[in-house]
Every structure is written in C-alpha cells, then in structure tokens.
Amino acid sequence: MAPDPPTAEEAAAYERVFRGEVDAKAVFEEAFVNEGPDAVNHLNRIVEELEGKTGDAKEVTEEMRKLQEMVDELERREKKARKAAELEATAKADSWLTKQMHDGAAAEAQALAEKARRTQERLAKQAAEAAEASKVAEREIAKAEAAARAALFEEAAEFLRRAQTSAAASVMSGVPLPLPECPPVPPETDDLPPNPFAAAPREEVPEFYKILAVQVEATFEEIKKAYRKQALLWHPDKNRHRLEEATERFQRINEAFDTLYDPARRNSYDAGEIKTPGKIKKLAGSGWSSLSDEDDAALTPLGVKYRKQSWRGYVLMYGRIDDDPDQIVQDDRDPRAPQEKIKIFWRFLGEMAYLAREESGANDWLYQFVLSIWKDTPNRWPKALELKTMNEAAQQEWKDRRMVYNRRKQKLLISIEMHEEYLAIPDREQLELERLQKRRPGWKQRMEGVMSTDPNRV
C-alpha cells in the first residue's frame, strides 16, 4: 500500500529544510528526544543525509536558474524567429498577391487587346467584302447598261435605216425639214471666280493663257493642272443654265490646252504666228499629228465605231437625265450638232474607259485604252538609250507622240470623272426609265428587259 502524500504543511516544511532555512538536526532531535538512542542515531543519519543533500539542492537550484534563463532565452529567440518568419511569410504573401493581380491585369489587358484586334480584323474584312461586293455590283450594272445601250443603238441604227429607206421612196424626201426653234437663252449669271488676269494692270496676257488662267511663264505641269480645273469648271454638263456659253468656252479651253501643251505650237503662239486658229492642227510635221483627236483618220476602227455609236445612242435616247431637254440636238443640220457630237463622243469614251478600268485591273489600263482608240499611239515607248541613238527629227517625233498621248489621257480622265458623277445620281436607272417612258411609252418594257442582269437579253 502506497504511503499517503504529504500535506501542504509537510511539503512546506520539507521545502524550508531543503532551502537551509531550518536546522533540521535540531528539529529532529527535539522531536525524537524521547525515542531513545536508536532513534537519535537514526535521526543523525537522516540529518547527515539531509545535510549532504542540502548543498546538492542549492547547486540544483542554481542549475535550474541557469536552465530557466537558457529556456527563457530560447523562448525569446523562438518568438523572435517566429515573428520574423511570420513577417517574411506575410511579405511573400503580399508579393505573391501583387504579382497575381499584376499578371491578371496584364492577362486581361492582353485578352482585351486580342479581342479588339480580332474585332478590328473582322470589321476590316467585312468592309473589304462589302466594298468588293459594291464594286462588283457597280461593274455588273455598268456592264448591263453598256449592253443595253449597245442593243438599243443597234436597234436604233436598224430603225434609222428603215426610216431612211422609207424617206427615199417618199415624195417628200427632197423637202428640207424645219430646224427646231432654239429656246431663249437664260440671262447670264457668272457665279465663277473672277479671272485673276482681267483687272491686273500689267502687260496684255495672250488669250489662251487667260482662258487657262495661268501666267505666260507657266510650266507644262501648271498648264495641265489649269486645264483640268477649267475643263471641269466649264464642262457643258455642269453649266445647264448657260449651255451655249459653256460649250463655246469649253471648246476654247481645249484649243488653248492643245496649243500651249505642245512646245512647238506654244513657241509659235507666243511669237504671234498663231492668231485666231480655226481647226487646230495638233502637231506640225508628219501627217498623223495634223489630225484632231475626234477625226476618223486618227481613230482606230473601234474608235470610229464608238464615235458613231455615241451619236446614234444620244439621238435615240434623247440624251440623258442630266441633259437639258430644251438643249438636246436631234438634227445633224443643227448648227450646234458638230460641237455636240464632239462632246457626246468624249462622254461615251469616258463611259467605256470607266468600264475598261473596272474590268482590267492592270496598271497600264489607260494606256491600253488609248492604244485601242487612236491608231497613232505607239505600242511601246523607246528607252533612253534608244532615244540617244536617234537623230533630232526622230527624237522630236517621239516627244510629240508623248505630248499627244498625255493630252488625250488628261481628257479621258476628265471624261471618266464626269461619268462617275453621272453614275452617282440617286435613282438614276428609274429616272432614265421614266424619262424614256414619257418620250416613247412603248419602250419601257423593252428597256427593262435590256437593262436586266443578263447582258445578252434584248
């Protein structure tokens, strides 16, 4: 059976004894004085053991104190290390979170940029497809209109041949028809900018320079730009309210350009050798260069066909919706007919050149078109080394040919621009059909069939 544990008082007494606060021997002798010598001897042994252990207790206490200090120091270091570890872990966590947020923002921005790029590419692709589809549609419409006009022109030619045959057999064939009465000319109103040379207190400027509004010392490039500006400004199709004046002015503009753009003719004009030219000869020298751009002798078979076809179509169709109905010429004996034929011919060339540009896709489409219309256009241009081996007359010939080619090219570009303005008229096809219906009611159904999407349908 195990002994009972010491009470609190006993434990306190033992502690006082171990600390050396109580003389254990005296206490025990006093307690066991009546127990006899054996008890005293036993007590002495106990005291001796206790006294021997008293010093050990003190050493143990000191060691305990040192150990406690070491433990406390270790705890402080552990706390410090734990706090440092916590701070480092917190810093790493903050750094990781910042990096994650930065990477996430960068990834989101990259995703948005990629999405925007894809959207832009898709929109650009859609715009390109829409532009291509619009271009194809315009090309098809232009082809259909060209085919319609060609069919109508052929039908008109047949109609005119039958009419001429009937007229030849008629008793009235020798009686001249009365000319249509010209409508009154509206009052002239000049809404154009004033001529910069009209009021200038300087030496008299030659007429052709005034017409093109350039200085006498103007370069050929300035003359070409001035011609384009004045031709577009005074084109008869843009001056319906003063058609007669615009037609005459446009003719003079062409004469001025043909003269001043040719170095030889310009020198002659500046020297006073050309006063009032009638039908201008384009170049001096060989026969090909003495013809006008509208002369049959200068045109290829295709050019001659276009010239005749353009006038037949104009007469048959009573012009176009952008023509003044009161100014349309229907009789070859009309004094306005020669100049009107030239205007209609260039209008038709603008339409054909527009179609050639849309269908070709080649860089030299304009040169090929000029080559197909005018027979004097060379099929190639000599290189610099070739020109150096030529004599002066041959070099001048090639220079003249280049000048004539550039002049025709400028006129064609203006005609193409005028045709594009005609194509841009809102509801143009419907307006043309309504105009023809008023002129010839029976032709509306036929015209609608010809202008269908099938170019071969008549």
Side-chain angles (χ1 to χ4, degrees):
M1 184 175 180
D4 296 332
T7 63
E9 295 178 355
E10 292 175 345
Y14 290 149
E15 183 67 23
R16 292 175 62 194
V17 171
F18 281 112
R19 288 198 300 267
E21 297 176 357
V22 178
D23 187 359
K25 183 176 178 180
V27 172
F28 280 105
E29 285 181 350
E30 183 179 356
F32 293 97
V33 68
N34 298 322
E35 295 297 330
D38 294 332
V40 172
N41 293 332
H42 183 67
L43 178 61
N44 289 333
R45 273 194 316 275
I46 294 174
V47 170
E48 290 177 356
E49 292 179 358
L50 289 174
E51 286 180 349
K53 293 181 178 181
T54 299
D56 295 340
K58 291 180 179 180
E59 293 178 0
V60 169
T61 302
E62 183 66 21
E63 291 295 332
M64 288 291 291
R65 185 183 64 77
K66 292 181 179 180
L67 289 174
Q68 186 63 40
E69 290 179 355
M70 293 175 63
V71 169
D72 293 342
E73 180 67 20
L74 290 175
E75 288 181 354
R76 284 195 300 272
R77 292 182 179 179
E78 183 180 1
K79 288 181 180 180
K80 186 176 180 180
R82 187 165 55 249
K83 186 175 182 180
E86 289 178 356
L87 291 175
E88 183 179 1
T90 302
K92 289 183 178 180
D94 292 342
S95 176
W96 173 83
L97 181 60
T98 303
K99 185 175 181 300
Q100 290 296 110
M101 293 178 64
H102 180 271
D103 293 345
E108 183 178 359
Q110 185 177 2
L112 290 176
E114 181 66 19
K115 184 177 180 181
R117 184 185 64 80
R118 292 179 179 177
T119 302
Q120 186 176 5
E121 289 180 353
R122 177 172 53 82
L123 294 176
K125 183 178 180 181
Q126 292 177 354
E129 292 176 352
E132 182 63 23
S134 176
K135 188 174 181 180
V136 171
E138 291 180 358
R139 189 181 297 121
E140 293 299 325
I141 291 175
K143 287 181 180 179
E145 290 185 354
R149 287 193 178 89
L152 288 174
F153 293 163
E154 293 299 330
E155 184 176 349
E158 180 64 24
F159 174 79
L160 292 175
R161 283 194 293 268
R162 290 198 302 267
Q164 291 173 358
T165 303
S166 300
S170 174
V171 295
M172 298 293 292
S173 59
V175 179
L177 296 176
L179 293 177
E181 182 179 357
C182 296
V185 180
E188 297 183 358
T189 57
D190 193 358
D191 55 355
L192 299 176
N195 191 323
F197 305 106
R202 63 180 70 177
E203 184 180 353
E204 183 66 21
V205 178
E207 180 186 6
F208 283 170
Y209 292 96
K210 285 183 178 181
I211 291 175
L212 296 181
V214 295
Q215 299 286 352
V216 177
E217 61 273 10
T219 64
F220 288 100
E221 186 65 24
E222 291 173 344
I223 291 174
K224 182 173 69 175
K225 292 181 179 179
Y227 165 71
R228 178 178 178 82
K229 179 180 179 181
Q230 294 296 325
L232 290 175
L233 192 64
W234 281 98
H235 198 282
D237 291 343
K238 292 188 174 182
N239 295 271
R240 300 296 179 187
H241 61 289
R242 48 180 178 184
L243 185 60
E244 184 175 352
E245 178 190 1
T247 301
E248 182 179 356
R249 184 63 178 267
F250 187 72
Q251 182 181 5
R252 296 293 289 168
I253 290 172
N254 283 312
E255 292 176 356
F257 176 67
D258 292 343
T259 299
L260 299 182
Y261 199 68
D262 177 6
R265 291 192 58 80
R266 183 179 180 181
N267 290 336
S268 300
Y269 179 75
D270 292 342
E273 298 175 8
I274 301 178
K275 294 295 184 181
T276 54
K279 182 178 180 182
I280 292 183
K281 294 183 178 180
K282 304 306 176 183
L283 295 171
S286 58
W288 66 269
S289 59
S290 63
L291 303 173
S292 68
D293 294 338
E294 301 84 16
D295 198 312
D296 287 352
L299 299 173
T300 63
L302 179 62
V304 175
K305 177 182 177 182
Y306 281 174
R307 189 186 62 78
K308 296 180 179 179
Q309 190 174 353
S310 64
W311 182 246
R312 289 201 305 266
Y314 173 79
V315 173
L316 173 67
M317 304 290 289
Y318 292 95
R320 300 189 315 198
I321 56 174
D322 55 342
D323 287 329
D324 186 352
D326 297 330
Q327 298 293 334
I328 293 178
V329 178
Q330 290 284 295
D331 194 334
D332 287 352
R333 294 172 296 176
D334 192 315
R336 300 170 296 168
Q339 188 60 34
E340 190 72 9
K341 287 182 178 181
I342 294 176
K343 185 191 79 171
I344 298 303
F345 176 52
W346 282 100
R347 174 195 284 180
F348 191 77
L349 287 181
E351 178 182 355
M352 294 298 102
Y354 173 84
L355 292 176
R357 184 188 67 182
E358 297 300 313
E359 295 175 357
S360 174
N363 294 331
D364 62 341
W365 65 270
L366 186 54
Y367 168 71
Q368 295 296 333
F369 184 80
V370 174
L371 185 64
S372 67
I373 300 299
W374 287 279
K375 64 175 65 174
D376 51 61
T377 306
N379 54 10
R380 75 176 188 89
W381 298 103
K383 305 296 183 182
L385 293 178
E386 294 181 77
L387 287 173
K388 288 182 179 181
T389 60
M390 299 179 185
N391 57 29
E392 185 177 354
Q395 291 179 358
Q396 183 63 36
E397 175 76 9
W398 279 108
K399 181 179 179 181
D400 293 344
R401 286 183 181 273
R402 191 69 184 185
M403 182 275 299
V404 171
Y405 167 74
N406 289 336
R407 183 188 66 215
R408 292 167 178 169
K409 184 175 69 172
Q410 288 300 316
K411 291 183 179 180
L412 280 175
L413 291 176
I414 292 176
S415 299
I416 292 174
E417 186 172 341
M418 297 300 300
H419 182 66
E420 289 174 339
E421 292 185 6
Y422 167 70
L423 293 178
I425 297 176
D427 301 325
R428 173 177 47 83
E429 295 181 17
Q430 184 62 31
L431 294 175
E432 288 284 13
L433 288 174
E434 293 176 356
R435 184 180 65 84
L436 287 175
Q437 177 67 12
K438 293 179 181 179
R439 285 287 184 177
R440 294 188 176 183
W443 279 28
K444 181 177 181 181
Q445 184 176 2
R446 183 181 305 173
M447 187 67 180
E448 290 177 346
V450 171
M451 296 184 67
S452 65
T453 56
D454 183 6
N456 298 321
R457 181 178 177 183
V458 180

